[in-house]
Amino acid sequence: MTMSVIRRIMGMAVCAFLLVQTATAAPDVKKVSGTYTYYGDKNDSPAMAKRKALEGARLDAISREFGTIVSQDVLQADRIDSKGENNKFFSLSSTEVKGEWIADDGDPAYVVSLGNDDCLIVSCRVSGSAKSISNDAIDFQALALRNGSTKGNASTEYYAKDNLYLYFTTPVEGYLQVYLMYENGDVLKLLPYINDPKQEVKVKKDYDYIFFDENRPSSFGPVDPMGISTDGEIEFNKMYVVFSPNAFARPVMKTDKYGALPYLSEEDFSKWLVKNRRNDPKMGVKQINLKLFPNTL
């Protein structure tokens, strides 16, 4: 297992893991478990196959507890490089769940084998916390952007020396915090910025925000730019975008490991998130899974 290396002030980094929102009252958090077997192809790395098996197991756990809605999504992955723009389209027939995953309870269990065609077969069992989705949660939009500050730069795949920005907009004014989880489980605070004197990101409604771009003016203190760096292997990080129309406190964090960047453990972050979501039904969270590649040039 490897971890992103911080370049300049921040290191980075996930296919946005979106779930349909269709419940009513503020629900209680439930303990759930699920299983899923992913049959890979020759393009899947072991890490990618495990990631897909884990996502399937989480969806299985949520659907068992809260039910499903049948739908179909068409996903697009855009990548712009020196050879021009490369668009990759694929259709995902999915069963969207009427709930959302909050946190794992312990490490997922994997069983990995090879099929007759030497492709990976990965079975995953996971336990954790989940909640049915309330209509009270605010339906904001958050996109990770690669090397550009327009929505056309949306991407979940990054290469070393890329810059990462965050697009955010909301239909109501409120408060925003952003966190990054490394593969080792450490969770870093990305927003508010380190030197924001208020340590509070209060955003306006119906406004297009671009965060982490030092070339744009900021009303939230000096910008902390984010650049991608890896230690030579493909890595998976998670970005958590947390928003509520109500002000909420940051978790207790430490600053003895990543320079000025505050961080806490995955367990402590999960406890903080579960507590806040239980107490605030209007709080919404979007998890963006980021895949980081070493620079092959």
Side-chain angles (χ1 to χ4, degrees):
M1 178 177 293
T2 61
M3 183 184 72
S4 299
V5 177
I6 299 174
R7 179 172 72 85
R8 301 178 71 184
I9 295 181
M10 294 189 181
M12 184 24 351
V14 203
C15 181
F17 191 79
L18 304 178
L19 301 173
V20 172
Q21 303 190 359
T22 56
T24 52
D28 292 332
V29 174
K30 303 287 187 180
K31 292 293 186 180
V32 297
S33 61
T35 60
Y36 183 78
T37 299
Y38 175 72
Y39 295 87
D41 58 38
K42 294 186 182 298
N43 295 320
D44 283 319
S45 67
M48 176 59 75
K50 283 187 174 182
R51 173 72 62 182
K52 292 179 179 179
L54 175 59
E55 291 181 355
R58 287 173 174 167
L59 288 172
D60 177 64
I62 297 170
S63 65
R64 288 174 182 268
E65 182 68 33
F66 303 113
T68 60
I69 299 173
V70 177
S71 66
Q72 180 163 326
D73 291 332
V74 177
L75 306 180
Q76 176 183 348
D78 294 332
R79 182 168 183 267
I80 302 175
D81 54 25
S82 60
K83 298 179 181 179
E85 184 173 355
N86 179 23
N87 296 322
K88 184 186 299 182
F89 293 89
F90 57 98
S91 177
L92 173 64
S93 295
S94 64
T95 303
E96 293 183 327
V97 293
K98 297 193 291 185
E100 58 186 340
W101 193 262
I102 295 178
D104 292 348
D105 184 7
D107 294 330
Y110 297 98
V111 176
V112 181
S113 60
L114 289 176
N116 294 332
D117 53 0
D118 290 332
C119 292
L120 289 170
I121 301 174
V122 181
S123 295
C124 177
R125 179 175 180 82
V126 66
S127 298
S129 302
K131 61 178 285 188
S132 62
I133 299 178
S134 169
N135 283 336
D136 292 338
I138 303 302
D139 187 19
F140 62 87
Q141 186 177 14
L143 298 170
L145 308 178
R146 177 178 178 267
N147 291 339
S149 57
T150 69
K151 294 170 71 174
N153 294 96
S155 178
T156 57
E157 296 186 353
Y158 292 80
Y159 288 77
K161 299 184 180 180
D162 281 345
N163 291 314
L164 182 142
Y165 310 112
L166 176 69
Y167 169 84
F168 178 86
T169 188
T170 169
V172 300
E173 70 175 28
Y175 299 85
L176 175 66
Q177 295 182 25
V178 180
Y179 296 86
L180 175 69
M181 181 183 292
Y182 284 150
E183 282 193 1
N184 71 348
D186 285 346
V187 181
L188 280 65
K189 177 179 70 69
L190 304 186
L191 279 179
Y193 293 133
I194 294 173
N195 294 314
D196 178 358
K198 296 182 178 179
Q199 283 299 295
E200 177 183 88
V201 181
K202 185 176 182 179
V203 293
K204 299 180 292 186
K205 67 178 182 179
D206 303 325
Y207 186 86
D208 292 337
Y209 289 93
I210 304 294
F211 293 101
F212 313 126
D213 184 354
E214 61 185 337
N215 296 316
R216 300 172 68 94
S218 168
S219 58
F220 305 109
V223 173
D224 297 330
M226 290 200 296
I228 303 305
S229 181
T230 73
D231 56 5
E233 298 182 11
I234 295 176
E235 303 174 20
F236 294 92
N237 291 177
K238 302 176 185 178
M239 180 185 287
Y240 289 88
V241 182
V242 186
F243 174 78
S244 175
N246 306 308
F248 58 101
R250 296 187 290 111
V252 176
M253 309 186 81
K254 298 179 287 186
T255 57
D256 60 350
K257 191 172 182 180
Y258 298 99
L261 286 173
Y263 78 98
L264 74 167
S265 69
E266 180 178 3
E267 180 180 1
D268 289 340
F269 177 73
S270 297
K271 289 179 180 178
W272 170 81
L273 192 59
V274 169
K275 179 181 178 180
N276 276 276
R277 303 201 70 184
R278 181 183 290 121
N279 294 334
D280 183 0
K282 293 185 180 295
M283 177 177 283
V285 178
K286 292 193 185 298
Q287 175 185 311
I288 305 176
N289 296 307
L290 300 171
K291 185 177 182 180
L292 312 183
F293 296 90
N295 197 333
T296 57
L297 299 180

